[in-house]
Amino acid sequence: IAVIMAGYDPDARANFDGMYEYYTAHPSVNDAGLMAWAQDQACNDVMGADSATDGDLDIAYALWLAHRQWGSNGAVDYRAAATRIMASILASDVSASQSILVGDWANGDAHATGTRPSDFMTHHLRVFAAASGTARWNAIIDHTYTLVQYLQDHAAATTGLLPDFAIGATGTTPLPAPGNWLEGPDDG
């Protein structure tokens, strides 16, 4: 939003750069290129200093927007920062089968085959593919659409609605997650 406000808010870039500094002050313990997902009112990391994929995707995308808006010759090299975060996303937030993980903490644990459909930000992924020329982003998009289609056809044929979380997402036949898979009884 700060980038989009450029031209309307004279402090937009300063606000954005302040948010970038906040991101750099709160690295994930699993991959320093990603951000710890939760802080308290005193700006201390809480609830595990690991990442959440949706935030990582939004940070990388915002940095690409900033690069397009202001260039990358100022105090922050937005392009280089976006490129670093994108590399960390590929390394820590995406499985070997191109499934979007729920965070860098899930890589290799009991949640490694799960995903959160609200993290399916395919527009962000398309921007990353175009900006980087890295074919893997397109493979992630293709896999994501395969998961969406399967879930809609087999778990929500009437509504087309996706579950909060899905399991088996590293394959091509995901299912809604069972209750209490991650956050609560309505996870699926």
Side-chain angles (χ1 to χ4, degrees):
I1 292 171
V3 176
I4 294 168
M5 291 303 295
Y8 301 98
D9 180 353
D11 296 323
R13 187 170 186 175
N15 290 336
F16 185 84
D17 287 354
M19 292 175 73
Y20 176 77
E21 288 177 27
Y22 190 84
Y23 147 74
T24 61
H26 296 280
S28 168
V29 295
N30 299 312
D31 186 324
L34 305 174
M35 183 176 172
W37 77 281
Q39 290 79 43
D40 62 17
Q41 290 179 341
C43 299
N44 297 309
D45 294 334
V46 295
M47 300 180 359
D50 42 33
S51 83
T53 302
D54 55 347
D56 300 331
L57 292 167
D58 281 339
I59 292 166
Y61 181 68
L63 284 161
W64 277 114
L65 291 177
H67 168 69
R68 297 277 315 264
Q69 180 68 30
W70 298 302
S72 290
N73 295 322
V76 177
D77 184 339
Y78 304 121
R79 181 184 180 95
T83 300
R84 282 191 304 274
I85 296 168
M86 288 168 39
S88 287
I89 291 168
L90 289 176
S92 301
D93 283 341
V94 179
S95 74
S97 67
Q98 314 317 331
S99 179
I100 297 171
L101 300 169
V102 292
D104 65 351
W105 57 271
N107 216 342
D109 88 347
H111 297 90
T113 69
T115 191
R116 185 173 201 159
S118 64
D119 294 352
F120 293 174
M121 301 177 197
T122 56
H123 179 264
H124 289 19
L125 303 177
R126 288 185 197 291
V127 168
F128 302 162
S132 69
T134 302
R136 186 172 178 205
W137 293 111
N138 291 315
I140 297 165
I141 293 167
D142 292 344
H143 184 74
T144 298
Y145 279 119
T146 297
L147 299 179
V148 168
Q149 187 67 57
Y150 189 87
L151 285 166
Q152 287 180 324
D153 290 349
H154 295 90
T158 305
T159 65
L161 298 174
L162 299 176
D164 194 11
F165 296 98
I167 57 172
T170 53
T172 57
T173 57
L175 298 170
N180 298 307
W181 181 77
L182 184 63
E183 292 183 347
D186 299 317
D187 282 354

